[in-house]
C-alpha cells in the first residue's frame, strides 16, 4: 500500500513539474531560484531528515520531569492566593484552571480590578500572553500566570521530543524532524514535528540543559554549532550599500553597534536594539519598550537614526513603494513575496 501511494505521489509531482516549469522559465529570476537554491536544498534537507538527530532519551526525560515539577510548584502558589480562592468560590470551581479565560478574566479584572487595552473580538478584556505582559508586572498573579504560560510552552516542546524519538538499527535514539523550504512564505527553512531549529535555552526554570540531549552519532564525537555574526545586518548592508556599514564590514574587528552608538549619541545596548529592530520594521512605540525610554524620546532616536542612514531609509522606502504599487516584493535571490493587502497601505 505504501509503495502504491508513493508511486502516485511521485507521478503527481512529475506532472506538476511539467505544468509549472513552463511558467517558471518565463521569469529568469524565479527559474534560477528554483534550479540553484530550492532543488539543491531540498535534497540536502531530505538527507537531514533521513539521518535524524541523535539524542539522549534520559536527558529529555529529566527535562520533562523538571518542567512538570515547575508547573506544579507555580500552580500551587497560584492556587494559594486569596484572590484565586475567591474566584473558585464565586465560579464554584474545585480548582483554579490557568487555561480557562473565564477564570483568569475573573481573577485579573474582577478580583484585582486591573485595566487592559487588549480586548477580544467580542469586546471583553483579553487574557492572552500579550495582555498579561501589558499588565502591572509587580502583581504576583500576573507573574505566576506568565510563568505558567512560558513553562507549559516549553513543556509542549519537550513532550514532542519524547513522542518523536525513535530507536534506530545502531541502537541509538534519533529524532527525525520534517524539514521544508516551501512551508514558510519567506523561503526560510523550517522544521516541524518536532521543531529542531528552536532548542530551548538554559533558564532558571529549567534545571536540565535541553541542548545537551542532542549528541553526536559517533562514539566520542562532538557537535559543532556555527553561527553567522549579525547576518541580517550584513545582508542589509549588502542590499542598501549604506556606506558606513558596507565599508565597516570589510574590517573583521568592526563593531556596528558601537559605531551606531557613537554616531547617534546613545548607549550600545540601545544601538543594538535599533539596528536589529529596523530590519523587522520596528516603530517608535516598540523601540521605547525595548530600550526603556519615553515614546517621544524613542521617536527622536529613530528619526535621527534614519537621518544618519539615508541609504537604508531610501531602500525601505523603495520596498514600501513596491508593495503599494505591485502588491509584492522580491528577495535578492528572486523569490516573490506576495502582499496584496499592501496596496491599501497609507503613504506614511
Amino acid at each position: 500500500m505504501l509503495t502504491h501511494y508513493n508511486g502516485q505521489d511521485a507521478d503527481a509531482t512529475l506532472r506538476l513539474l511539467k505544468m509549472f516549469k513552463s511558467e517558471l522559465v518565463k521569469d529568469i529570476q524565479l527559474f534560477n531560484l528554483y534550479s540553484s537554491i530550492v532543488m539543491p536544498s531540498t535534497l540536502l534537507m531530505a538527507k537531514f531528515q533521513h539521518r535524524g538527530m541523535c539524542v539522549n532519551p534520559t536527558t529529555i526525560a529529566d527535562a520533562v520531569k523538571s518542567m512538570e515539577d515547575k508547573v506544579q510548584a507555580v500552580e500551587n502558589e497560584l492556587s494559594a492566593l486569596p484572590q484565586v480562592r475567591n474566584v473558585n468560590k464565586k465560579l464554584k470551581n474545585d480548582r483554579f484552571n490557568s487555561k480557562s479565560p473565564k477564570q483568569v478574566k475573573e481573577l485579573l479584572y474582577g478580583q484585582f480590578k486591573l485595566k487592559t487595552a487588549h480586548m477580544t473580538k467580542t469586546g471583553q478584556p483579553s487574557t492572552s500572553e500579550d495582555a498579561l505582559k501589558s499588565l502591572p508586572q509587580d502583581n504576583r498573579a500576573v507573574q505566576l500566570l506568565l510563568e505558567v504560560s512560558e513553562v507549559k510552552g516549553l513543556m509542549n516542546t519537550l513532550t514532542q521530543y519524547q513522542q518523536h524519538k525513535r530507536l534506530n538499527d545502531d541502537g541509538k535514539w534519533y529524532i527525525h524532524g520534517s524539514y521544508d523550504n516551501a512551508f514558510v512564505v519567506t523561503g526560510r527553512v523550517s522544521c516541524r514535528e518536532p521543531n529542531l531549529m528552536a532548542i530551548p535555552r538554559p533558564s532558571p526554570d529549567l534545571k536540565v540543559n535541553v541542548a545537551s540531549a542532542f549528541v553526536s552519532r559517533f562514539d566520542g564525537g562532538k557537535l559543532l554549532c556555527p553561527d553567522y555574526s549579525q547576518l541580517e545586518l550584513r545582508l542589509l548592508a549588502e542590499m542598501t550599500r549604506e556606506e558606513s556599514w558596507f565599508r565597516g564590514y570589510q574590517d573583521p574587528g568592526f563593531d556596528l553597534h558601537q559605531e551606531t552608538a557613537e554616531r547617534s549619541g546613545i548607549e550600545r545596548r540601545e544601538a543594538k536594539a535599533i539596528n536589529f529592530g529596523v530590519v523587522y520594521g520596528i516603530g517608535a512605540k516598540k523601540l521605547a519598550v525595548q530600550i526603556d525610554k519615553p515614546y517621544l524620546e524613542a521617536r527622536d532616536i529613530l528619526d535621527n537614526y534614519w537621518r544618519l542612514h539615508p541609504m537604508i531609509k531610501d531602500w525601505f522606502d523603495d520596498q514600501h513603494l513596491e508593495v503599494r504599487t505591485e502588491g509584492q516584493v522580491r528577495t535578492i535571490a528572486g523569490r516573490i513575496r506576495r502582499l496584496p493587502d499592501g496596496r491599501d497601505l497609507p503613504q506614511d
Side-chain angles (χ1 to χ4, degrees):
M1 290 177 64
L2 184 60
T3 303
H4 182 70
Y5 169 79
N6 284 342
Q8 287 183 315
D9 211 22
D11 178 61
T13 303
L14 180 60
R15 294 186 189 194
L16 287 171
L17 171 65
K18 292 177 179 178
M19 289 175 57
F20 289 134
K21 196 168 183 179
S22 61
E23 293 298 314
L24 273 177
V25 295
K26 296 177 183 178
D27 189 319
I28 189 63
Q29 278 189 293
L30 282 181
F31 184 74
N32 287 338
L33 170 69
Y34 166 78
S35 58
S36 63
I37 296 179
V38 174
M39 288 309 298
S41 64
T42 300
L43 296 174
L44 183 61
M45 286 185 289
K47 291 181 180 179
F48 287 163
Q49 186 165 324
H50 176 71
R51 290 176 66 85
M53 284 290 293
C54 189
V55 294
N56 183 337
T58 303
T59 305
I60 295 178
D62 290 345
V64 171
K65 180 63 168 62
S66 173
M67 283 294 92
E68 289 174 343
D69 293 343
K70 179 64 178 179
V71 169
Q72 189 62 56
V74 174
E75 290 193 333
N76 287 344
E77 185 178 348
L78 189 59
S79 298
L81 295 176
Q83 293 85 355
V84 171
R85 291 198 292 267
N86 291 340
V87 171
N88 291 337
K89 184 176 180 180
K90 181 176 180 179
L91 299 180
K92 300 179 180 179
N93 300 318
D94 294 330
R95 186 173 178 81
F96 184 78
N97 181 5
S98 60
K99 287 186 177 181
S100 168
K102 182 179 180 181
Q103 295 181 38
V104 174
K105 185 173 67 173
E106 173 59 30
L107 173 63
L108 298 177
Y109 310 121
Q111 298 295 317
F112 283 105
K113 309 295 183 186
L114 300 178
K115 303 294 182 183
T116 180
H118 293 259
M119 297 293 174
T120 64
K121 293 181 180 179
T122 59
Q124 296 296 313
S126 174
T127 58
S128 67
E129 189 171 345
D130 286 340
L132 291 175
K133 289 179 179 179
S134 71
L135 297 174
Q137 297 300 295
D138 57 351
N139 184 295
R140 188 55 183 157
V142 174
Q143 294 173 359
L144 291 172
L145 286 169
L146 280 171
E147 277 192 58
V148 168
S149 176
E150 181 180 352
V151 172
K152 285 188 174 179
L154 186 55
M155 183 87 158
N156 180 57
T157 300
L158 294 172
T159 302
Q160 284 191 44
Y161 290 167
Q162 267 198 329
Q163 292 173 343
H164 286 86
K165 69 181 188 299
R166 297 288 182 269
L167 187 62
N168 277 22
D169 294 338
D170 61 1
K172 297 177 181 178
W173 291 88
Y174 292 81
I175 295 177
H176 302 269
S178 297
Y179 294 89
D180 199 331
N181 61 0
F183 183 75
V184 180
V185 293
T186 59
R188 178 181 61 80
V189 174
S190 64
C191 182
R192 294 171 288 156
E193 298 180 346
N195 183 2
L196 297 177
M197 298 175 68
I199 308 299
R201 295 183 178 182
S203 70
D205 296 329
L206 189 58
K207 297 178 181 178
V208 180
N209 181 2
V210 180
S212 67
F214 294 88
V215 296
S216 171
R217 68 183 63 235
F218 305 109
D219 295 334
K222 296 193 179 293
L223 295 179
L224 295 179
C225 185
D227 189 17
Y228 281 102
S229 174
Q230 303 175 4
L231 177 59
E232 302 99 318
L233 302 178
R234 292 175 186 272
L235 286 172
L236 192 59
E238 169 69 23
M239 291 187 292
T240 65
R241 296 290 166 145
E242 178 65 40
E243 185 179 356
S244 61
W245 288 28
F246 193 75
R247 187 178 64 252
Y249 273 127
Q250 311 307 312
D251 178 5
F254 177 61
D255 185 342
L256 174 64
H257 304 315
Q258 186 61 39
E259 191 263 355
T260 300
E262 292 173 358
R263 292 184 66 193
S264 304
I266 57 179
E267 296 181 12
R268 188 181 184 279
R269 67 172 188 85
E270 296 171 343
K272 185 175 182 179
I274 193 171
N275 278 335
F276 280 111
V278 296
V279 177
Y280 300 101
I282 197 170
K285 185 176 180 180
K286 189 167 185 179
L287 178 63
V289 174
Q290 288 194 7
I291 64 176
D292 194 23
K293 295 280 188 181
Y295 168 77
L296 292 178
E297 188 173 344
R299 188 186 65 182
D300 290 341
I301 291 174
L302 193 55
D303 288 343
N304 185 50
Y305 184 91
W306 291 127
R307 283 193 294 270
L308 292 171
H309 303 89
M311 300 291 284
I312 296 177
K313 181 67 166 65
D314 289 345
W315 183 85
F316 272 103
D317 288 344
D318 289 342
Q319 303 307 305
H320 294 163
L321 178 61
E322 187 173 352
V323 171
R324 286 195 294 267
T325 56
E326 303 296 331
Q328 65 180 41
V329 288
R330 279 185 185 259
T331 68
I332 55 176
R335 183 182 298 274
I336 295 176
R337 175 73 189 278
R338 291 184 172 84
L339 302 163
D341 294 340
R343 291 190 175 97
D344 301 324
L345 290 174
Q347 294 296 312
D348 295 323

